[in-house]
Amino acid sequence: MKAIVTGYSKGLGAAIAAELLGRGIPVLGLARGRAPDLAARFPDALQAVELDLADPAALTAFLAGGTLASWVQGSDMVLLVNNAGVVWPVGPLAEQDPAAAVQAVTVNVAAPLALVAAAVRASNGAERRILHVSSGAGRSAYPGWSVYCATKAALDRHAEAVALDGDASVRCCSLAPGVIDTGMQAEIRATPESRFPMKERFVQLKAQGGLNSPEACACALVDYLLAPRFGSKPVDDLRNA
């Protein structure tokens, strides 16, 4: 069994990678930066690749290379966790940077979908389990988050369509993990209320201790990913699982 985790260098991605590695599952980590602490703890089980998922040319070059195929070769089960994501641009349409919208769609949608296709093609004969880290924002509209909501909804529909393809060796789930105490949450709390009217809700969640830790979420998420029933619900919420 081997795993691939995007955005593995910080936040929830780092916690997921650490959880998998701690269970003896080697991880190919894809991120813009490095995770020296993880590399020091698991020098023989973590392979790190510096890759900016917002850069289509860099992503295309990576997929055209042999790193991914070499990583999954010979594995009886391949796990892909599409964790990397961005919340920006935030605000009504008149305040959104079009270039930021392009980058967000590339990171949140194009990269996960391309990685899924590449991983499945490279691992023929293995069981493939794909987990998109989604959000409640993909299932309910939020003011100021039109791009974020749309991109997370895209992952939900992708997982549902993959299930309809009927390949029993490919299981896919778009999973909302709940509200987690990560850098993205800090970014949300720093957003002016004029751009994100629901900011106070997240400020209060932090103040009242309502944010889950990345480590606790990662443990539950990996349990879910490895459970026999994984993929039976293409769209799910970790809090209700």
Side-chain angles (χ1 to χ4, degrees):
M1 183 187 304
K2 286 188 173 180
I4 304 156
V5 180
T6 67
Y8 85 100
S9 63
K10 60 184 180 180
L12 178 60
I16 293 169
E19 185 68 29
L20 289 164
L21 290 162
R23 300 190 192 201
I25 302 171
V27 170
L28 174 64
L30 309 178
R32 286 179 299 173
R34 294 276 181 172
D37 291 345
L38 274 179
R41 288 171 58 195
F42 304 99
D44 299 323
L46 173 65
Q47 180 174 334
V49 174
E50 289 189 52
L51 177 63
D52 185 356
L53 295 174
D55 182 344
L59 176 61
T60 300
F62 170 76
L63 295 175
T67 300
L68 184 61
S70 176
W71 179 255
V72 302
Q73 187 175 18
S75 181
D76 62 339
M77 182 183 293
V78 174
L79 313 173
L80 171 57
V81 181
N82 281 313
N83 161 77
V86 295
V87 70
W88 41 259
V90 177
L93 289 176
E95 298 181 31
Q96 288 181 13
D97 177 2
V102 170
Q103 285 192 319
V105 173
T106 303
V107 174
N108 292 1
V109 183
L113 271 54
L115 284 166
V116 168
V120 168
R121 287 168 64 93
S123 58
N124 187 36
E127 179 181 342
R128 283 68 62 93
R129 296 191 177 197
I130 298 115
L131 190 150
H132 297 317
V133 177
S134 186
S135 168
R139 296 151 204 185
S140 300
Y142 287 67
W145 274 6
S146 57
V147 173
Y148 187 62
C149 290
T151 57
K152 290 303 182 181
L155 295 182
D156 290 357
R157 299 293 82 74
H158 178 263
E160 290 175 333
V162 168
L164 293 175
D165 286 341
D167 185 343
S169 71
V170 178
R171 305 191 198 184
C172 187
C173 176
S174 189
L175 183 70
V179 188
I180 309 157
D181 198 3
T182 63
M184 181 180 285
Q185 279 296 311
E187 185 180 344
I188 290 167
R189 295 192 299 273
T191 303
E193 198 163 354
S194 61
R195 298 179 72 90
F196 184 50
M198 296 184 68
K199 167 185 174 177
E200 186 59 25
R201 172 192 170 191
F202 295 92
V203 170
Q204 290 303 314
L205 279 172
K206 173 68 172 178
Q208 297 167 7
L211 300 181
N212 200 8
S213 74
E215 294 75 19
C217 179
C219 180
L221 184 148
V222 172
D223 282 345
Y224 184 97
L225 176 60
L226 297 178
R229 62 186 174 84
F230 179 80
S232 60
K233 294 180 67 175
V235 176
D236 206 355
D237 191 307
L238 190 58
R239 292 164 290 188
N240 301 328

